[in-house]
Amino acid sequence: MTSIRALTAAAVGTGLLLVTACGSSSNPTSNAPAGNGGSSAPTDTIVVGSANFQENVVLANIYAGALKAKGVKVSTKLNIGSRETYIPAVKDGSIDLIPEYSGVLLQYFDKSATAVSATDVFAALQKATPQPLTVLTQSAAEDKDAIVVKKETADKYSLKSIADLAAVADKLTLGAPPEFQTRTDGIPGLEKTYNVKFKTFKKLDAGGPLTENALKNGQIDAGDIFTTDPLIDKNGWVVLEDPKNLYTAQNVLPLINSGKASDTVKNALNAVSAKLTTDDLVKLNEQVSLEKQNAETVAQKWLSDAGLA
Amino acid sequence: MIAEIWNWLSDSAHWHGPDGVPIHLREHLQYSLIALLIAAAIALPLGLLIGHTGRGSFVVVAIANSFRALPTVGLLTFFVILIAPHIHSTGTATYLIPSEIVLVLLAIPSMLTNTYAGISAVDPAVRDAARGMGMRGSQTLWQVELPNALPLIFSGIRSSFLQVIATATITAYVSLGGLGRYLIDGLAQQDYPQMASGAVLVAVLALLIDVLLAAVQRYAVSRGITGRYSRKRIVDPAEQQAMIAAAPLT
């Protein structure tokens, strides 16, 4: 009797563990759509995905709204995860379209890529993007990773650029997402390009509330925060310059499965790219993260202001 | 996939240094045990009290059960953002305190409801007999109700343990260590063998802990309750009666 109970408890326990394990991660080896399971969408529907941060979610909503306005059937799978998670999902067709950033995407496809200017990066990206994926025209809007410090820290160590960190980084703590440890422009890039080695590296989120709060409250001295984060202006933080172009041009563009890129789809997305600017990104982020507006509402408003929906 | 997990686990590089299994295992146990001790200190006395007196059970159990519905990861982020501005530390305290709060909230319901249910489900005839023998309220609780409720209390403790061990992985989401590091980093870095190995380690740890607790339970619960007697010899009914009567706890 006791052993049966123990076995049951163990079995139930294992079941719980498996459920928890699956809940905390999308299963990368399955062919089901990443993020959450469910039946695959009909072939004429465009599935728009997004990375797991606000701005990308808003951009995905803008793409989805622009396509809907042109009569394309659209469904969304938002907040999927990091690039390392969602690119395989675009490749296997579980999602068809995702807003991307030119520079980081190029480095993802070609680790040895050297292009830094917006034009060079885009040209190289068009070559490096593997079938069946393709990128459409890039927008002027740019959102880069940046190493951001508080004004006090910048004054104390007279920091203007990432290069100035080399002498003092061994006293400082960096906050960044876990993938920063292995990315070409993460910890390895900081060491190689600027000889910057931080004392500690706290694994937080991708420029989200954890990193922002940790920087604000002094748990980290420098954070990997996106240049379009409205909190930078609000808190008077300092974005360290990047003279050696560790963070290359990062223009917003659509990454799409070429099988789904019909002329209607291309035109709708190119129209978005033609209108979108970096200022727009800051404002969109402000509305979502500071004014707590719904990402879909904010996207719709931008589309109607731009005359695209 | 199984071969990749095996390769990852048998690679000695993964068993040394600040990202090695021994360190993360120790952190994982540390986070879990702190949460379980705090939860036990709250849930067990409270469960005994409301089970014994029968008062306030509805409110307390309803509140405890509502904890089960809280989304753990969301709660963790919430507490970090709420608490972090008040802790001026560059160490781990900023993240450890919110994590422990979340794990304690998770561990309380099973222990509390099982303790309460175990005590209140004791056969009224047994309770009456205790009173008839002249036992005071506290004597009845410690010598009659508690031993009778022990199997159920243990199952509460064991399910709390399993839940906390499995959920302590989320502490890695807020920069702490523990075996969750492998899950979170593996996902972010697209290193699936690392992720799967982390999951295997957590599962093995949870099972080992449960086996350990099962052994403790086996020796802690009175034989008068489990009816666990040697199977080697045929027990004479009269002798069995005598043994039950002689069992220390009834």
Side-chain angles (χ1 to χ4, degrees):
Chain A
M1 193 58 195
T2 320
S3 62
I4 290 173
R5 213 187 304 136
L7 273 177
T8 318
V12 171
T14 323
L16 277 176
L17 284 169
L18 290 174
V19 168
T20 323
C22 294
S24 59
S25 62
S26 51
N27 180 358
T29 49
S30 87
N31 289 321
N36 37 20
S39 56
S40 54
T43 42
D44 59 338
T45 302
I46 302 257
V47 184
V48 188
S50 88
N52 56 346
F53 56 92
Q54 281 294 0
E55 178 184 281
N56 207 258
V57 175
V58 177
L59 286 169
N61 274 306
I62 287 181
Y63 286 172
L67 291 173
K68 263 183 216 159
K70 294 281 177 256
V72 180
K73 276 188 214 155
V74 176
S75 73
T76 51
K77 289 207 183 296
L78 306 179
N79 272 309
I80 294 171
S82 65
R83 181 164 300 105
E84 286 80 351
T85 311
Y86 62 69
I87 297 285
V90 190
K91 279 185 182 159
D92 72 18
S94 31
I95 58 172
D96 304 314
L97 166 67
I98 192 158
E100 261 295 0
Y101 303 88
S102 56
V104 276
L105 187 61
L106 175 60
Q107 269 188 339
Y108 176 85
F109 288 136
D110 178 8
K111 287 217 188 316
S112 59
T114 50
V116 285
S117 77
T119 337
D120 290 353
V121 169
F122 187 64
L125 180 59
Q126 282 180 310
K127 282 195 199 115
T129 308
Q131 278 296 330
L133 308 184
T134 183
V135 289
L136 303 181
T137 315
Q138 64 180 1
S139 69
E142 203 183 1
D143 178 3
K144 286 188 197 201
D145 283 84
I147 303 299
V148 174
V149 295
K150 278 209 237 185
K151 180 130 200 339
E152 298 92 289
T153 318
D155 290 348
K156 190 175 165 192
Y157 300 110
S158 41
L159 302 175
K160 271 199 164 154
S161 92
I162 304 178
D164 300 333
L165 278 171
V168 293
D170 57 346
K171 293 178 214 147
L172 304 178
T173 300
L174 172 74
E179 58 268 29
F180 218 63
Q181 190 166 40
T182 44
R183 273 197 185 163
T184 332
D185 60 356
I187 303 274
L190 282 171
E191 281 190 27
K192 204 172 138 200
T193 314
Y194 287 105
N195 196 25
V196 168
K197 285 180 193 168
F198 283 94
K199 185 182 75 179
T200 15
F201 167 40
K202 270 199 201 312
K203 291 168 179 170
L204 296 164
D205 54 5
L210 290 173
T211 312
E212 290 163 353
N213 273 277
L215 184 64
K216 199 169 160 190
N217 302 317
Q219 277 101 30
I220 56 173
D221 304 299
D224 170 32
I225 288 178
F226 299 111
T227 49
T228 53
D229 189 330
L231 285 181
I232 294 176
D233 255 4
K234 197 177 165 240
N235 294 307
W237 289 339
V238 177
V239 177
L240 295 181
E241 286 165 21
D242 179 18
K244 294 186 188 169
N245 288 307
L246 175 60
Y247 301 104
T248 45
Q250 304 293 356
N251 298 72
V252 172
L253 47 74
L255 175 73
I256 190 166
N257 197 309
S258 42
K260 293 297 181 84
S262 67
D263 285 346
T264 322
V265 170
K266 276 185 191 165
N267 290 337
L269 296 173
N270 287 343
V272 170
S273 295
K275 294 262 182 179
L276 195 68
T277 66
T278 308
D279 269 359
D280 287 344
L281 286 186
V282 178
K283 282 185 196 119
L284 291 167
N285 286 334
E286 211 169 297
Q287 288 164 11
V288 176
S289 65
L290 297 185
E291 295 164 21
K292 308 289 172 208
Q293 293 189 44
N294 174 288
E296 207 179 329
T297 323
V298 170
Q300 273 307 325
K301 194 170 162 293
W302 183 87
L303 283 167
S304 58
D305 288 352
L308 297 173
Chain B
M1 195 66 194
I2 288 167
E4 285 172 41
I5 296 172
W6 177 250
N7 286 340
W8 194 94
L9 286 172
S10 56
D11 183 345
S12 69
H14 297 136
W15 292 81
H16 296 288
D19 259 329
V21 172
I23 300 246
H24 286 326
L25 184 67
R26 204 193 63 211
E27 289 163 342
H28 201 92
L29 282 171
Q30 185 191 333
Y31 304 151
S32 307
L33 288 176
I34 292 174
L36 284 158
L37 287 177
I38 297 174
I42 297 168
L44 297 182
L46 197 60
L48 291 178
L49 186 74
I50 58 176
H52 181 66
T53 60
R55 282 189 205 134
S57 59
F58 178 74
V59 176
V60 173
V61 173
I63 292 173
N65 275 332
S66 70
F67 287 167
R68 293 186 206 248
L70 293 172
T72 313
V73 175
L75 203 62
L76 178 62
T77 314
F78 171 76
F79 276 122
V80 166
I81 290 169
L82 191 75
I83 291 172
H86 307 290
I87 303 174
H88 301 285
S89 141
T90 48
T92 53
T94 317
Y95 299 104
L96 191 58
I97 294 170
S99 306
E100 293 296 354
I101 293 176
V102 169
L103 292 178
V104 166
L105 289 180
L106 183 80
I108 284 178
S110 309
M111 285 203 248
L112 179 61
T113 49
N114 275 37
T115 308
Y116 151 76
I119 298 284
S120 64
V122 171
D123 188 345
V126 175
R127 216 176 267 144
D128 279 349
R131 197 175 301 137
M133 285 167 71
M135 283 189 176
R136 289 193 306 274
S138 62
Q139 284 176 314
T140 315
L141 176 63
W142 295 115
Q143 296 175 26
V144 178
E145 290 172 339
L146 180 61
N148 273 288
L150 216 49
L152 214 55
I153 294 176
F154 255 102
S155 93
I157 294 174
R158 282 166 64 178
S159 59
S160 283
F161 248 94
L162 282 177
Q163 267 179 296
V164 168
I165 296 262
T167 313
T169 48
I170 61 162
T171 55
Y173 181 64
V174 291
S175 85
L176 291 174
L179 295 172
R181 242 339 353 131
Y182 301 126
L183 300 181
I184 305 256
D185 292 359
L187 177 64
Q189 298 163 6
Q190 207 196 7
D191 182 353
Y192 300 126
Q194 178 187 353
M195 205 171 126
S197 303
V200 167
L201 288 171
V202 174
V204 168
L205 179 66
L207 286 175
L208 284 179
I209 297 268
D210 199 57
V211 167
L212 193 73
L213 285 175
V216 174
Q217 174 173 6
R218 187 179 164 94
Y219 291 101
V221 175
S222 160
R223 292 202 297 175
I225 290 157
T226 57
R228 182 171 47 80
Y229 296 104
S230 169
R231 286 176 199 164
K232 283 180 190 156
R233 62 201 176 96
I234 297 156
V235 181
D236 173 48
E239 196 188 341
Q240 191 175 21
Q241 285 297 317
M243 279 172 74
I244 291 170
L249 296 165
T250 45

